[in-house]
């Protein structure tokens, strides 16, 4: 059985904020490369956080 991809619906709760908590890491990225996946996942979380900060 192949591994479940991180963009599968089962991972949707981990890819959303849980109140003020955001999860990021290579395990939540569809990218195969570990460091690149961690970076893109972290960037996504920081972008969402940045959008919550009032101007």
């Amino acid at each position: 059985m192949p591994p479940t991809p991180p963009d599968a619906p089962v991972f949707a709760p981990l890819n959303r904020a849980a109140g003020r908590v955001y999860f990021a890491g290579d395990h939540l990225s569809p990218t195969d490369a570990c460091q690149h996946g961690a970076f893109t996942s972290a960037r996504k979380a920081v972008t969402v956080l940045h959008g919550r900060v009032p101007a």
Side-chain angles (χ1 to χ4, degrees):
M1 180 177 200
T4 304
D7 55 350
V10 71
F11 285 105
L14 293 175
N15 283 306
R16 287 192 302 264
R20 293 173 41 174
V21 177
Y22 291 79
F23 294 100
D26 63 320
H27 54 285
L28 293 175
S29 172
T31 306
D32 289 337
C34 293
Q35 289 179 335
H36 180 69
F39 173 81
T40 56
S41 178
R43 185 178 177 113
K44 179 178 139 187
V46 170
T47 300
V48 173
L49 280 168
H50 180 72
R52 293 182 57 178
V53 177

